[in-house]
Each structure stands twice: as structure tokens, then as C-alpha cells.
Amino acid sequence: MSDGAGARYDLPVSGMSCAACAVRLEKVLNRLPGVEAKVNFATEKARVSTGPDGAAAADILGAIRKAGFDVAPQVLELGLSGMSCAACAARIEKVVNRLPGVEGSVNFAAETARLRYTPGLADPAMIVAAIARAGFTATPVAGRDREAERARKLAAFRAELRLFWISAALSLPFVVQMAGMLGTGLHGTAHHDEWLPRWVQLLLATPVQFWIGRRFYKGAWSSLLGGGANMDVLIALGTSVAYFFSLAVVLLGRHDLHVYFEASASIITLVLLGKLLEARARARTSAAIEALLRLQPPTAWIERDGQLVEVPVEQVVGGMVFVLRPGDAVPVDGEVLSGESAADEAMLTGESVPVTKVAGDKVFAATVNGSGVLRCQATGVGAETLLAGIVRLVEQAQGGKPAVQKLADRIAAIFVPVVVAIALATFAGWWWFGGELAPALVNGVAVLVIACPCALGLATPTAVMVGTGQGARAGILVKNAEALELAEKIRTLVVDKTGTLTEGRPAVLALHTVAGAARSELLALAASLEQTSHHPLAQAVVAAARAEGLAWGMADAVQAVGGKGVAGSVGGREVLVGSPDFLAGRGAALPAGVLDPLLAAALTPVGVAVDGRALGALGIADPLRATSKAAVARLQALGVRVVMLTGDHPAAAARIAAEAGIADFRAQVLPGDKAAAVEALRGDGLVGMVGDGINDAPALAAADVSCAIGAGSDVAIEAADLTLVRNDLNSVADAISLSRATLGKIRQNLFFAFVYNVLGIPAAALGLLNPVIAGAAMAMSSVSVVSNSLLLRRWRPGRN
């Protein structure tokens, strides 16, 4: 659909609220040169036709957006097959990004592509066809059957393994012969060095070259047909030169020349071995996610007509009531209706301590129920579960590319043509200056087979895949690869106070009584009046009484005075619970000795009086999380400056900052001003922001790296660069630690890949490597990179 030849687009337009919008948009589009447009408000579509010299697709989209409407892009994920090296991935990227309205990236390690396309300008069928024309196969992966996919890959691996063993058996006689020949040198011409008759060598090498090695010819042809060149071109070219030269020597009866059947057969066998080892290692890079998926049970126990019925988990829909028996894995996300138990959520949050579950609490798919029985209602099924969201987010991150990969991609795109040119120059130079064909041929082939674009292509995605998988197991969800790259560079971390550093709910932190009053009596009387209230301060009082194991009675004639306090009768005694002003207005003022210490500590005082006499007061505040102080210390040890922002008054802010070990804080900062505060801190390096992902949205958007902490199944999973499932600031320190570990592995991999090629290609060109050794080195280079990435599986949360 070329703009130059004219085109027609059917664009789904969003943002039209009435027929007048459609008329206005139609006028806007028809003003563009060479454009004829009709906009249908009922179907919310614009049909746009352009002439040979009409406006380009980008200009049409720009005009629609300038008019205040939009054509929302869609996301397409594709599974790819036929790629043999990073040059293939670069080729596919180039092809799809040339399509109108399409942009995206290809992950060579995962054999997937993640694309964004504009409906009307492109569609999945067009994209798949373009990839097919380039010589590769693409399949949409939405709703894919992971088990079937795993079975397909396993069958393909076993087929390749069988071919390798056949190839190894046919190549073994050459290896034995080479062991004897290495002493006299591979360039030797003495025919007696070859104990295998040449016709036997021809019979052994031919099936390896054309049957076992057909994948290289097929891949090379597809690549060249698509206008590119990949690793298959190097292998096919190098082994074919060695094979056909040897064939000519045999057919012409030139016993004075050496044959190189052992080189062609051994190279193909070694490259196959390398590919098998690489595939096996690559399969382990996504082991963390596969392990998570396996935790979800295949069936659920559903309540139906008063009976428990076991049904496949795919048949569970929202609203169904399911029962969890002791030790059951949770099939879907739900809310506890009745029962009491504890759930092991370590597989989602990384937190090893079981979480208590009572009525009203949420349970998540793939977590494990403890010793109690829970009756729950399904709230999230299928793609709507927290588990599915985690998997979706991790796969999205694994499909992205950090900036550090861009140089490697640019090199991979031109790598093969450059290597072929170096091989031709090597061949010509050795023949011109040495005057002998054999050494020139050997060294040219060595250059072709030692060059490895695969190591460059695998360096970053394998490390990202392992790193994001390890993060998911620790409750750290990375939205994109760029965030993983930037997290290591955070120098200042802005943290919200409420719910991030603190528990996010008030608790009784202090209790002061007047002389002669009993602590237990004060708490029990306060709980009697507050037990029916849903006010956060009232619930804090009841929780404190329950924690001390107190018993309290019911209050009569309870009367709430909005915003001030509550009055009632307990056992015939008149009880008041409320603010100091409320008690003072009823003739039961709190003495300064009780009130002043609470105010000095920035606690909210709640007074208690009985029969007109003050008993004392409770000091209530949002307490610091038990883990926050240690987490702040960890962050500071990582070289990160921690700054607290809060809308609270300075005394409360100072108390929390002092408890947490934070020297720098800003109090009474309105939500709208937090973004400006984040911007102001940007001078000393990258700024990270930690918040709940909702009321901190402006500040999260302003930060270089944003972290949403304590995300449940339905909030913040799409709100920030990093989503931390656990309500613990330690997760931020873990995220920075993981980022540094992952980027360290990426740099090691890229260094190895560059150094390998920078040293290996000249060594082969100078005649220091024979083709078989070069082929073995090339086969092992990719395996080394993937194996190094797999060392990231040793990373554990809680370590700096």
C-alpha cells in the first residue's frame, strides 16, 4: 500500500462525541493534498483515499490528532521461527518498521516480536506476510497454548539432537584422522597422512553437507532472498568452499593437493552442537516464569447447588464461589467470604512469611492455602489474574531493548557482509602473496566460520530475560527493559510517607494515664464505644485493645459528635472518647502531663473520660513499617540519597523521618507540587520516585524511574516503570540491586562478544586458526554468553 501509487485507509477514530465531530474531521482531512475522506460517526471510522501525489500516512494521522481525535495503536505479539542469528532479528525489525503505522522490536533470544500498529494503516495479516516475504515465519501468540508450544519446541530439539548424533557419527572418522594430521599441519600435501581413502571421505562428508547441513542452505537462501545476510550465509559459504574444492580435487585425481572434507563436516557438526547447547540454555532463561505458570492448578472446587464440584480452571468465571482446602493452590484471584487461614504468597511477592487470610481479604492465583478452609468468590479469572498480569508484564519487558543493545544491533545488521568482504580479502591476499591456493582457501574459510553475530544478539536479551524472571519471583515487576537499565543509575530516591514508609493505617503508639487510672481500664472503655465505628482512629483503638487480650462490654446510648468524639454508657458509667477539646467541652479536660508528651511526639491524642473525670489519652499515628528503617539504610549503602515527601504537618514528618533514618524531607507538599519537587532534585543524577501509583501519579510521571509499591491485582500494574508487589521499601533496594546485576552481565556479555570477534577474525585471517578450531570457537561463543546470563539466577533479594 504505497503512498506514491495512491492508497486507501480505513481508520478507526476515537474521540468523536457527535455527528458534528465527524463533519469537522472530514473537512480537516479533505484539506490535505490529494486526499478524499469520508468519516462515519456511527461506525467511528474514516475512509481515506489518496492519489499518487497525496499526503503520506503519517501526515493523515497527524491531521487527525491535531483535530483532537486519535487512531489508537494496537499491540501485536508474534512468535518467530527461522532466525539463526542476530542479523535475522535485525532484518525482521527493518522489514516491519518500514510498514506504514508499524513500529516494534524483535527479541532474538525469545524468538518473539512485540509490535505496535495503527489499525487501518496495517493489520496482523499484512505484518505476517511482510515477515514471510523476508524468509521467516511469524505466528500471532495471543491466547497461545503454552503447553503445545513447549511440546513443539521439545520435538524440534529432539529432531535436531538426532541429526547431531548422525552428523557426529559421520564426522568421527575425520576427527581421528585430524588428530594424526595436526602434527604435520593442516596445510600438508602428503597424501599418506590421510589414512581414510578419499572416496570414503567423500561418502562421509556428502550427507553431512547436504542433508544435515541443509538448514544452513535453506536459511542462507531465505536470508538472501529477503535482501539480507545472516550466520547461515557464513556457514553455508565456508563449508561449501571447503567441500566443493575437495570434490574437485577428488574428481580431478589431484593427489598432490589436500582435501578438506574434515573441515566442512566437522564445522557443521560443531555448529549444530553449539546450537543445541544454546537452545537448551535459552530455554532456561524463562524458567522463572514457567515455574510461576506451573503453580496455577488445572482445576478448582466450585460450589454448585450446595455441592462441591471439581471443574477445569478455564471454566471458572467471575462471581463463582470456590472452596480452598488445606494445602490447595489457589486457582483464580478471589475475595474470602468466610473462613480463616494463612496463604504462602512467596511465589508472587518473594515474602516467605505466610499472610493471614480472613473474610474480606484477597487471595491470588498460584499462591498456596495453609491449614484452614477458605470459601472465596472469584474476582479475577484468566487474563485478569495477578499472575497473568505478572507474566504479561515480564514478557513485555523481555521484548524490549535497553539503549546498551543499540550499538550491538547496528553492528549485527552489517556484520555478515563485512565478514564476507574480509574473507574474500584474506583469500585474495594469501593467494596473491603466497602463491598457493590451499592456504588461501583454508584461511578464508576460517574467517567465515569464526565470525559470530549470534553472541552480539544474545548478549542483552538473555540477561534481560533472566533478570526480569528473577525479579518476578521476588515480587519486582519490570515494565520495560529501559527501566531495568535506568534503575541502576538512580542517585536520589523520593519516597512518599503514607503507605510507603508507614503502614498506611493508624495505630496506637503511646498511652498516658492520669494518676490512679489503669491502662487496661482506659483501653477497654474506649474499645466499648469505638467497636461499632468504621473510623480509622476507632479501628486503631479496638485493634490495640484486642492486641492486649482485653475483654470489653457493649456500650448503650452511643452518640457520635461528628469530627470530635463519641459518648455512651458502659455498665452504667458515662464514658467519653474523643479529641481534647471534646473532653474539655464536657468538663473532663486532659491534664498537661498527659497531653503534652503526645503533642510533642506528633501523635494524634484521643482522650478517654468516665463519669466526668479524665482517665488519660491514647497517642495515635500511622506507624513506620517494621522494615522501613533497614530498607532506608540499604538504599543509602547503595549510594542512593533518600528524600521523603509528604503532605503531613512538619512535626509528624520529622518524627517519621527520624525513625526511618532520613535526613532530608519536605512536609506539607500538595500532590500537585510533588512533581515540581521531583524535578528540583534532578541535578545530582537520575531521580526515582516510590508511591502508591494513584495519588502520586504526577510525581511518578516526573521521575526518571517510577516505582508503584504494594500493587494489588487491580492497581498500579500498568502505572509505573517498576511495580513492587510487596508492601516493603526493601523491594526498591532489591530492584536497584537487580538492575546493577543485570546490567553488569549485559556489559560482560557485550565485552566478550566484541572481543571474541575483534580477536578471532584477525587471527583467522593471519592463518593462526584452522577452520575446525574456528568452527568450534564460534559454536561455543554463543553458549558462553547464554551461560554467563544464566549466572544471574544466583541473584537473591536482600543482598546489596
Side-chain angles (χ1 to χ4, degrees):
M1 191 155 40
S2 166
D3 293 334
R8 193 184 81 183
Y9 306 111
D10 289 307
L11 304 173
V13 179
S14 60
M16 294 191 294
S17 58
C18 63
C21 296
V23 172
R24 181 163 66 87
L25 180 58
E26 200 169 283
K27 285 180 180 178
V28 166
L29 292 173
N30 283 319
R31 287 190 200 124
L32 295 173
V35 169
E36 182 181 335
K38 291 183 179 178
V39 180
N40 188 322
F41 172 60
T43 61
E44 295 185 302
K45 283 191 176 180
R47 173 162 288 185
V48 183
S49 301
T50 64
D53 300 316
D59 296 329
I60 295 168
L61 285 177
I64 292 172
R65 286 167 183 153
K66 194 173 180 181
F69 308 103
D70 198 11
V71 179
Q74 301 290 313
V75 175
L76 175 66
E77 293 190 23
L78 297 172
L80 303 171
S81 59
M83 293 193 297
S84 61
C85 67
C88 299
R91 173 69 187 155
I92 295 173
E93 270 189 16
K94 197 173 180 181
V95 166
V96 296
N97 285 319
R98 279 179 184 162
L99 297 173
V102 180
E103 61 177 14
S105 62
V106 175
N107 187 328
F108 170 54
E111 296 182 303
T112 59
R114 184 177 177 83
L115 311 170
R116 285 166 62 87
Y117 68 94
T118 303
L121 299 184
D123 57 53
M126 178 198 297
I127 296 167
V128 169
I131 293 172
R133 286 195 296 273
F136 306 95
T137 304
T139 309
V141 298
R144 64 186 174 188
D145 185 337
R146 290 177 182 273
E147 285 300 325
E149 190 176 320
R150 194 181 296 112
R152 179 184 61 78
K153 286 186 177 181
L154 182 60
F157 179 85
R158 285 174 175 164
E160 290 289 318
L161 187 61
R162 280 194 296 272
L163 286 178
F164 164 73
W165 285 119
I166 295 169
S167 184
L170 292 171
S171 302
L172 185 61
F174 291 120
V175 175
V176 175
Q177 177 174 272
M178 276 190 293
M181 292 172 60
L182 285 175
T184 58
L186 194 59
H187 303 300
T189 57
H191 183 43
H192 60 55
D193 285 341
E194 302 168 14
W195 61 268
L196 276 176
R198 290 189 169 182
W199 65 269
V200 174
Q201 293 185 49
L202 176 61
L203 287 177
L204 290 171
T206 299
V208 174
Q209 186 71 33
F210 299 109
W211 175 42
I212 308 294
R214 72 185 185 278
R215 56 173 287 172
F216 301 113
Y217 286 107
K218 185 179 177 183
W221 176 248
S222 296
S223 177
L224 294 171
L225 209 61
N230 62 5
M231 187 202 76
D232 292 330
V233 172
L234 298 178
I235 301 302
L237 190 58
T239 57
S240 295
V241 168
Y243 176 85
F244 285 110
F245 174 81
S246 303
L247 179 64
V249 168
V250 171
L251 294 179
L252 295 174
R254 294 292 302 271
H255 298 295
D256 57 319
L257 295 176
H258 192 83
V259 291
Y260 298 98
F261 290 121
E262 77 282 350
S264 64
S266 299
I267 287 167
I268 287 173
T269 303
L270 287 167
V271 171
L272 271 182
L273 174 61
K275 285 291 177 188
L276 285 169
L277 293 173
E278 178 190 319
R280 188 171 179 179
R282 276 162 61 176
R284 291 166 62 197
T285 60
S286 56
I289 291 305
E290 296 295 339
L292 276 180
L293 289 168
R294 283 196 294 271
L295 290 171
Q296 187 172 18
T299 61
W301 288 96
I302 299 295
E303 269 191 12
R304 187 176 291 165
D305 300 326
Q307 300 289 322
L308 281 183
V309 181
E310 190 175 20
V311 301
V313 72
E314 295 82 9
Q315 295 179 15
V316 180
V317 298
M320 280 187 173
V321 175
F322 62 93
V323 173
L324 296 174
R325 300 166 303 175
D328 276 356
V330 183
V332 296
D333 288 2
E335 183 175 323
V336 179
L337 298 176
S338 61
E340 186 173 342
S341 187
D344 179 1
E345 297 183 348
M347 60 291 299
L348 296 186
T349 66
E351 178 57 66
S352 59
V353 178
V355 181
T356 301
K357 299 293 179 182
V358 295
D361 288 339
K362 293 180 179 179
V363 292
F364 303 110
T367 58
V368 180
N369 182 34
S371 58
V373 175
L374 295 175
R375 186 168 166 270
C376 312
Q377 185 171 39
T379 56
V381 299
E384 298 171 0
T385 63
L386 174 60
L387 174 67
I390 288 173
V391 172
R392 195 161 50 243
L393 208 57
V394 171
E395 289 181 339
Q396 177 181 322
Q398 291 177 346
K401 289 186 180 179
V404 71
Q405 175 69 8
K406 291 177 182 175
L407 174 62
D409 283 349
R410 285 198 294 271
I411 292 172
I414 60 167
F415 188 88
V416 174
V418 169
V419 170
V420 171
I422 294 172
L424 288 173
T426 300
F427 175 76
W430 276 86
W431 198 6
W432 179 266
F433 292 107
E436 290 186 49
L437 179 62
L441 186 77
V442 168
N443 296 330
V445 170
V447 169
L448 289 172
V449 298
I450 197 169
C452 185
C454 295
L456 285 171
L458 291 167
T460 297
T462 52
V464 169
M465 288 173 75
V466 179
T468 51
Q470 289 298 103
R473 293 179 68 174
I476 303 165
L477 309 183
V478 182
K479 190 173 184 180
N480 52 57
E482 291 81 2
L484 189 65
E485 182 177 26
L486 292 175
E488 72 152 3
K489 300 173 184 174
I490 291 174
R491 292 296 171 264
T492 302
L493 184 71
V494 178
V495 297
D496 180 45
K497 178 180 77 72
T498 305
T500 302
L501 283 168
T502 66
E503 293 285 355
R505 58 180 182 272
V508 175
L509 302 184
L511 192 155
H512 293 279
T513 61
V514 299
R519 172 191 178 93
S520 57
E521 180 189 20
L522 184 150
L523 259 181
L525 289 171
S528 297
L529 259 67
E530 300 284 28
Q531 62 186 319
T532 57
S533 173
H534 293 290
H535 192 283
L537 296 183
Q539 292 177 339
V541 171
V542 174
R546 185 178 290 117
E548 295 202 9
L550 300 178
W552 59 88
M554 292 296 295
D556 300 319
V558 177
Q559 194 173 28
V561 180
K564 294 182 179 180
V566 61
S569 175
V570 180
R573 305 165 77 190
E574 295 300 319
V575 180
L576 302 175
V577 179
S579 68
D581 290 342
F582 175 68
L583 266 66
R586 301 292 181 100
L590 290 167
V594 169
L595 192 56
D596 290 349
L598 301 179
L599 295 175
L603 303 177
T604 300
V606 174
V608 180
V610 61
D611 293 333
R613 182 176 65 90
L615 291 183
L618 307 162
I620 298 178
D622 185 6
L624 188 74
R625 286 188 188 280
T627 57
S628 291
K629 185 174 182 178
V632 169
R634 275 189 68 199
L635 287 164
Q636 291 167 342
L638 287 167
V640 177
R641 172 191 173 204
V642 181
V643 178
M644 184 182 80
L645 293 187
T646 178
D648 215 337
H649 54 84
R655 177 180 63 82
I656 290 295
E659 288 182 29
I662 297 173
D664 194 349
F665 66 91
R666 315 277 195 277
Q668 293 181 321
V669 180
L670 298 174
D673 297 331
K674 285 185 179 179
V678 169
E679 290 285 356
L681 292 165
R682 190 165 268 126
D684 301 327
L686 296 191
V687 177
M689 170 71 191
V690 187
D692 60 14
I694 303 169
N695 57 4
D696 296 312
L700 287 168
D704 296 301
V705 181
S706 54
C707 307
I709 196 166
S713 58
D714 54 354
V715 293
I717 213 159
E718 299 289 344
D721 299 317
L722 301 172
T723 300
L724 311 173
V725 179
R726 199 153 35 111
N727 275 310
D728 187 347
L729 201 58
N730 273 300
S731 290
V732 183
D734 289 337
I736 294 172
S737 167
L738 177 64
S739 171
R740 293 181 181 181
T742 304
L743 267 292
K745 282 298 172 197
I746 289 174
R747 293 188 188 103
Q748 290 171 16
N749 288 345
L750 287 174
F751 176 80
F752 172 79
F754 279 119
V755 167
Y756 165 82
N757 283 293
V758 166
L759 296 180
I761 293 173
L766 292 171
L768 302 177
L769 294 172
N770 72 50
V772 177
I773 301 300
M778 189 275 283
M780 290 302 106
S781 63
S782 297
V783 179
S784 300
V785 164
V786 180
S787 299
N788 190 44
S789 293
L790 286 172
L791 292 177
L792 263 177
R793 294 171 71 182
R794 296 178 179 177
W795 178 87
R796 293 291 182 271
R799 302 177 189 171
N800 281 0

